[in-house]
Amino acid sequence: MASVHESLYFNPMMTNGVVHANVFGIKDWVTPYKIAVLVLLSEMGRAGGSAIGLLERRRLNQLLLPLLQGPDMTLTRLHKAIDESCPQLANSVQIRIKLMAEGELKDMEQFFDDLSDSFSGTDPEVHKTSVVGLFLRHMILAYNKLSFSQVYKLYTALQEYFQNAGKKAAVEEADMDLTSPEGQLVGVMEREDLDVPSREEEISCSGPLSQKQAEYFLSQQASLLKNDETKALTPASLQKELNNLLKFNPDFAEAHYLSYLNSLRVQDVFSSTHSLLHYFDRLILTGAESKSNGDEGYGRSLRYAALNLAALHCRFGHYQQAELALQEAIRIAQESNDHVCLQHCLSWLYILEQKRSDSCVLLEHSVKKAVHFGLPYLASLGIQALVQQRAFAGKTASKLMDALKDSDLLHWKHSLAELVDISLAQKTAVWRLYGRSTMALQQAQTLLSMNSLEALNLGVQQSNTESFAVVLCHLAELHAEQGCLAAASEVLEHLKERFPPNSQHAQLWMLCEQKIQFGRAMNDGKYHVADSLVTGITALNSLEGAYRKAIVLQAQNQMSEAHKLLQKLLVQCQKMKNTEMVISVLLAVAELYWRSSCHTIALPVLLQALALSREYRLQYLASETVLSLAFSQLILGIPEQALNILHMAIEPILADGAVLDKGRAMFLVAKCQVASAASYDPQKKVEALESAILNLNEAKSYFAKVDCKEQIRDVLYFQARLYHMLGKAQERNRCAMLFRQLHQELPAHGVPLVNHL
């Protein structure tokens, strides 16, 4: 792939140091590496089935395909790969290559003459039409076409290929002879440092690739970029290889397209646009489209070029340019009567329209057309988008799950494994939106189980796709909500390994991690730490950042600044139709009114939040709103009514709620019980107070799980008062001592303890 000296690697497309424009005019040429592979095949044939065990032969067969299709590698690395599969055969190959390299030119000539015998006889060792047979025939044909001078250069390159391996082995042997522990450690560290770039270096030093090797390299890297970006070459290394590959063949269209995908990884809009346009230009210049599609190929390239350009601009948020490119694609597709291209355009038109207005009708039409033209992939994506849109519109979960079931039938019928992952991630998000954390956890675990079983049984690459990142982020947040912070940290560490910071889906776990850390800082009362995290959250999601900034200001008693920010955020969320955030902001505004002792003003705000949460079937937010309403009624002096409506909210919160909300709910129940007991007779009052103490103990256990010291302090204060009323001095003193310790650590900031939920 890189530009190398002709003396090292013979390339028949090189004459007088000039590389011909069509480097892939000959599909294969002979290199020292391929001679080593031929020696391996020859030794496997000579050894037969008796000398090599069944397990070793199976390993060798699995090794052959990457060796035949992949780029050239050093002899040391090749020997290591063979040695891992069959040590006996590795020694035979090493000896055979040594005899050929240290012998004479006629030894290499005799070796190629003997290769033809593999096809002779009634029961040949290799069939001519097999993968190995085709490789042998290509190599024999390429070798027979060489002139004498070219054969001599090839033999010289083989000798240098063997000598370089010998020098490397000598260096490693010298390192192993180090006697002192310090020297051994340095030697090991140096080799480990060299091992990291060695693979990329070996690829770049492997010489110009044949057509098959280049196609294999491009398809392999494209597959890794799609499914497991961490195992692909780094963006800089991959771009270097592509640039070297394009030196030999500037018209290689597939290399330009992989360059486009590589530029998308680093969000380089200029390079990605440049590579995408070059890809379609090369398709037209080489006539690849015209050969497969007749006279229609030229127009097909133009309309799909415009469509891909629209998708590129949409990805970077350039919606006006995307709309212009999409209109051009629609115009050309209509002129050519290309219904498939028009259907893709309709799908992208929905994506552009949803940024500005409701486009449910357009989406339904897109799904119907996709089914009509037999495009299951587009039909399934349309159903997924329709489910997402209707979930935000407040449709019932049963109808949404029925729609997803229909899409799942399409996935299994047409083997669309990628869309199965997307469907499960969608179900996880829908259940979390509706406040059913148990169901969300079940769907997340289903996707993780499917992924692990697939990788175990089929030996495929693990799926590091966006849907998998989304599910893992949900899993981390669900564990954090239940107080399992260690488990949440492990999930986040796994996310960091599978999606490094420079990968395209890394922003998902970055935002998730910042939100979990923000919640922990707020629970610990470390508002300065929480305030420092707001900047990172805002950079990833402006709405989440503004909301959490208002929460910090409110906790720091900066009420006027918090109120201004919340009102501004409320208008913005209503304009964007982000109902979930609207309800959260309304609840924050109501709490701000409580802290300002404006309890009556908070009631209309809470009723508005309750109406929205019930209209859009957001059960968990509705339960939180009812909890806040009960607290308002308690403050206004009607605890009996507060206890009655608490029964509406307590069950969903205890079943699917976060640990912190469970603690707040039980704390509020205890407050209402104490307030209601004021009018009871003495015996009944004592029973009510003892029941309240039990609820306070349960609330304290919930708060302890998330280390919420501020709430634990309030519970201890309340418990000490109740024990004093019951005449239990020892328990009162114990709670008072614990309260004093926490109160000194967490000052009250001048806010009455009973004045917040």
Side-chain angles (χ1 to χ4, degrees), residues 249-322:
N249 186 6
D251 294 331
F252 195 18
E254 287 78 5
H256 286 288
Y257 192 78
L258 186 59
S259 177
Y260 156 69
L261 295 178
N262 191 44
S263 299
L264 286 181
R265 297 168 69 189
V266 293
Q267 304 294 312
D268 187 349
V269 60
F270 175 78
S271 297
S272 56
T273 306
H274 183 266
S275 298
L276 182 64
L277 294 177
H278 270 288
Y279 166 69
F280 284 101
D281 288 345
R282 272 23 181 214
L283 280 185
I284 296 172
L285 289 174
T286 57
E289 287 291 310
S290 298
K291 292 177 183 177
S292 58
N293 298 281
D295 296 334
E296 189 62 25
Y298 180 81
R300 187 175 187 273
S301 293
L302 289 179
R303 56 182 175 267
Y304 278 101
L307 178 61
N308 279 271
L309 192 60
L312 176 64
H313 285 304
C314 188
R315 181 187 180 109
F316 286 105
H318 308 153
Y319 300 118
Q320 187 175 1
Q321 293 91 327

Side-chain angles (χ1 to χ4, degrees), residues 140 265 283 295 340 410 477-478 486 522 572 576 624 640 668 673 738:
I140 294 171
R265 297 168 69 189
L283 280 185
D295 296 334
V340 176
L410 283 175
E477 290 180 355
L478 287 169
M522 292 297 294
Q572 186 178 359
M576 297 175 62
E624 282 194 346
E640 295 82 3
L668 181 57
Q673 287 176 330
L738 294 174

